[in-house]
Amino acid sequence: MKNIGNQKVTPKRKSLWRRIFTPRLVFLLGLIVLATTVVFSYYYVLFTEMIDAKLQGDIFVRTTGIYTAPVTLKQGQKFKRTDLIGYFQRIGYLGDDKQRDRNRGHYSVKGNTLEIEPSNTGIIDGSPIFSKINIKYSDDGQKISSIYDVTQKKIVPTSLIEPELLTSINQEREKRKIVDYKDLPKNLVDAIISIEDRRFFDHPGIDFRGLFRAIWRNVEEGNVHQGGSTVTQQLVKNFFLTSERTLKRKLSEAFISVLLETRLSKEQIFQMYCNEIYMGQDGSYSINGMGEAAKFYFNKDISTITLAESAFLAGIIRGPGYYSPFSQKARAKDRRDQVLEAMVVAGKLSQEEADAAKKVELGVRPKSASSNAEAPYFLDYLQLQVNDILGSKKLSQDSFRIYSTIDMELQRAADKAVRDGLAQIEKDYGKRYKPGSLQAALIAINAKNGEIVAMVGGRDYSASQLNRATEARRQPGSVFKPIVYTAALNTAFEEERDKIITPATKFLDAKETFVYGDNQTYEPDNFGMAYSNEMVDLRQGLTKSLNVVTVRVAEQTGYWRVAKMAEEMGLPKPQPFPSIALGVSEATPLEIASAYTAFPNLGVRYDTISVSRITDSNGKTIFQNSPKSKQVIRAEVSYIITNILQDVINRGTAARARSLG
């Protein structure tokens, strides 16, 4: 109470609202709101620009597709109808039971006839390469009876069909096969949603209910078993941010997730997620996305995978290494079954359907096959060649389409030959070699144009990335002998020679010490120390691979002539010593194979080719390869050597190959 003059005045009591929100507090709250608004606006603009920049144009535009060589179909060819249908399914063609898509080819089975309509992706320089064809089969479905070209409206003897997408890669050594949402089987979508984010199609990017449920269960169990990240948040972490575990990153992840949901539809977000997610490792390459994972684990197009396979792929998202079917098969199967149960709980499957799927084996390809059969060594080699071709252009700067020369049927056969051959040697010589200790390489070239059709650089790419086919220099041994005999026969065309060598020229097959240089000696032995001690002709010397006879041939020819012939045929020039005859000078299998192309081509050697064509994202050709050849042997000489090498197969040291068919 205050006295004002002679009056007593009692001040009015302030309201509760005014007592709580004092001017000072209001001022502080105003500053907080202003600061929050500024911070919110800053990050809104920052993250919005980040999202817009990332989503500009094609999201995965920096991925280059590498294709195999086109498959040639021939009238009368033995190519089972079921195998051809399997090939079309593997490269993503759709059957009658699927909705048509102009970006995918289509096949239709009508009795003994296959009607094939190619996709619109096989258009180069404005013209389609592959025709719409009808393939008529024999009644037993084993052989192609005729091929009708619908475009030309006539029966044709041969026709090309679209090549297989070997892989899609970028500079970060990621393999990725881009898929659309409509390509994803419903079972796969349901499996991922059930195990990763059950309310994906309902929440705004953050699932608060799921987050609180995960926190509660983790508290109950005393450790972290469940995470609260949605599919959108996982995509944001992988595509926009890093995986660092900080509060700032987690808050950024949540903010961007909400913003992303305003930019894209749920289907678009899910499609991005399925193309981005890490799904395993293939040697030095990472497997990214469901499209590539389906190919890597099952050798299937994503549109054709089964319920059990879908559950497996959804299950390993949490940890592809931890649930690896190659090293942890039981754990991978348990995880798949857990996904199937989650689908039941989510109402996506009946218990009977889940139980039936659980009885199915994982069905993934053997690790060695998945590692080598898809030509990883060839891919490494190819990238080096492409980098040389493109020069300043980089694989990561455009969506190139690279058409290679690899023939996948031959590649898989080559991989099997290497694996089976090494296993057999280790079995036969168990005391000398431990299982898995031996290595080998295989290179196959189309001798008529130099195209590399198969390449295996080692036993298991996931264990060793050294490409022994192109990088490992080894002594070729007896493989070099035909070059010695080529130089010998070539003496018939040297005017200054008094004595020429022919296939009938005789040489003594007996133990011998050769003297060369500064009184140096060289004492070769025949295999098994076996000698006939008789005069044998040159043809028999090569047919039976007689070491001493071969050195005698080289001596009479002139070691320097042999060295010069090797250089002419594309090999590193060896030293002109007696040992040259037995292939002690090192070379790579690729160099040897290239040299050998001269024999069946009447002396014309072809440079090897791994790339046939490169186009840009619009289908415009920016590089087209053509065979490069050089006459390195006289036609007459190459004909005779080829004829003698046929004797090697028919009755010589390689007769076992003929017995195998």
Side-chain angles (χ1 to χ4, degrees), residues 104 167 184 194 399 408 544 572:
R104 286 173 172 260
T167 191
L184 303 172
S194 299
S399 281
M408 291 311 298
K544 298 298 183 181

Side-chain angles (χ1 to χ4, degrees), residues 118-348:
S119 69
N120 67 349
T121 58
I123 297 177
I124 297 179
D125 299 328
S127 301
I129 296 180
F130 309 104
S131 299
K132 183 177 180 180
I133 57 175
N134 295 336
I135 306 168
K136 188 174 182 180
Y137 267 86
S138 56
D139 292 339
D140 59 2
Q142 301 291 308
K143 188 169 66 172
I144 296 175
S145 298
S146 64
I147 303 172
Y148 180 78
D149 190 309
V150 178
T151 305
Q152 300 183 48
K153 297 182 179 180
K154 66 177 183 179
I155 293 178
V156 293
T158 64
S159 182
L160 293 178
I161 57 176
E162 287 191 73
E164 187 175 345
L165 175 63
L166 187 55
T167 191
S168 296
I169 59 173
N170 56 26
Q171 291 283 41
E172 286 70 43
R173 296 185 72 80
E174 296 173 339
K175 291 185 178 183
R176 180 184 284 109
K177 182 180 180 182
I178 305 300
V179 297
D180 293 331
Y181 181 80
K182 62 178 178 292
D183 297 328
L184 303 172
K186 184 177 183 302
N187 282 330
L188 179 61
V189 177
D190 291 343
I192 295 174
I193 295 300
S194 299
I195 198 67
E196 291 294 324
D197 186 1
R198 198 172 299 171
R199 298 185 63 250
F200 170 73
F201 286 100
D202 300 318
H203 63 64
I206 304 174
D207 185 5
F208 293 103
R209 186 193 305 176
L211 178 61
F212 292 139
R213 182 173 60 249
I215 293 174
W216 176 257
R217 290 186 180 178
N218 290 334
V219 170
E220 276 188 329
E221 298 180 16
N223 50 32
V224 179
H225 280 293
Q226 292 192 11
S229 294
T230 63
V231 161
T232 308
Q233 287 176 280
Q234 292 180 50
L235 173 62
V236 168
K237 180 183 70 174
N238 295 328
F239 191 72
F240 294 95
L241 302 172
T242 65
S243 57
E244 61 176 340
R245 298 192 175 190
T246 63
L247 179 60
K248 179 182 177 182
R249 198 273 298 164
K250 200 68 180 173
L251 292 174
S252 299
E253 175 188 297
F255 197 173
I256 296 174
S257 296
V258 175
L259 290 177
L260 189 63
E261 293 267 355
T262 67
R263 291 288 195 281
L264 301 176
S265 67
K266 287 289 187 179
E267 288 76 11
Q268 289 173 317
I269 291 174
F270 198 84
Q271 175 182 315
M272 281 186 65
Y273 175 82
C274 286
N275 283 318
E276 174 64 25
I277 195 70
Y278 172 72
M279 295 295 289
Q281 199 73 24
D282 182 13
S284 61
Y285 291 96
S286 66
I287 305 300
N288 291 79
M290 290 293 169
E292 190 67 35
K295 182 178 179 64
F296 177 68
Y297 290 109
F298 302 110
N299 195 29
K300 286 186 174 183
D301 182 78
I302 190 69
S303 64
T304 63
I305 61 173
T306 64
L307 168 60
E309 292 164 350
S310 296
F312 165 79
L313 292 179
I316 66 172
I317 291 175
R318 177 186 288 184
Y322 185 77
Y323 296 108
S324 171
F326 306 125
S327 59
Q328 302 292 339
K329 186 175 181 179
R331 186 185 293 168
K333 187 176 186 302
D334 289 342
R335 177 63 175 167
R336 181 202 66 179
D337 295 348
Q338 182 184 351
V339 174
L340 291 169
E341 281 300 320
M343 294 176 72
V344 174
V345 173
K348 305 297 183 182

Side-chain angles (χ1 to χ4, degrees), residues 67-74 77 79 83-84 87-88 90-91 129-131 133 135 137 144 147 158-165 403-410 412:
Y67 294 79
T68 66
V71 175
T72 302
L73 298 181
K74 300 178 182 179
Q77 180 181 6
F79 197 146
D83 290 343
L84 185 55
Y87 174 81
F88 285 125
R90 191 164 63 248
I91 65 174
I129 296 180
F130 309 104
S131 299
I133 57 175
I135 306 168
Y137 267 86
I144 296 175
I147 303 172
T158 64
S159 182
L160 293 178
I161 57 176
E162 287 191 73
E164 187 175 345
L165 175 63
Y403 296 91
S404 74
T405 60
I406 203 77
D407 183 319
M408 291 311 298
E409 184 178 357
L410 295 178
R412 293 174 184 122

Side-chain angles (χ1 to χ4, degrees), residues 463-478:
S464 171
Q465 287 83 56
L466 173 64
N467 191 342
R468 294 161 183 83
T470 62
E471 300 173 31
R473 294 190 174 277
R474 300 289 186 267
Q475 294 182 354
S478 293

Side-chain angles (χ1 to χ4, degrees), residues 550-616:
T550 303
V551 178
R552 291 186 192 277
V553 171
E555 181 184 46
Q556 187 167 326
T557 302
Y559 302 130
W560 67 271
R561 285 190 177 88
V562 175
K564 184 179 179 182
M565 179 60 68
E567 186 179 29
E568 278 290 310
M569 295 181 70
L571 299 179
K573 188 174 182 178
Q575 293 297 316
F577 303 134
S579 59
I580 187 178
L582 303 186
V584 298
S585 295
E586 295 179 343
T588 67
L590 182 64
E591 290 170 337
I592 294 291
S594 177
Y596 263 58
T597 61
F599 295 132
N601 290 317
L602 295 179
V604 177
R605 182 183 71 84
Y606 280 91
D607 290 344
T608 56
I609 295 174
S610 60
V611 181
S612 60
R613 186 193 298 263
I614 301 176
T615 65
D616 61 17

Side-chain angles (χ1 to χ4, degrees), residues 85-129:
I85 292 174
Y87 174 81
F88 285 125
Q89 291 175 339
R90 191 164 63 248
I91 65 174
Y93 272 41
L94 302 176
D96 283 332
D97 58 333
K98 301 289 180 65
Q99 183 178 357
R100 295 216 176 195
D101 180 350
R102 65 191 189 93
N103 291 321
R104 286 173 172 260
H106 182 270
Y107 70 90
S108 178
V109 182
K110 295 183 177 179
N112 287 336
T113 301
L114 272 179
E115 296 182 355
I116 309 301
E117 184 176 345
S119 69
N120 67 349
T121 58
I123 297 177
I124 297 179
D125 299 328
S127 301
I129 296 180

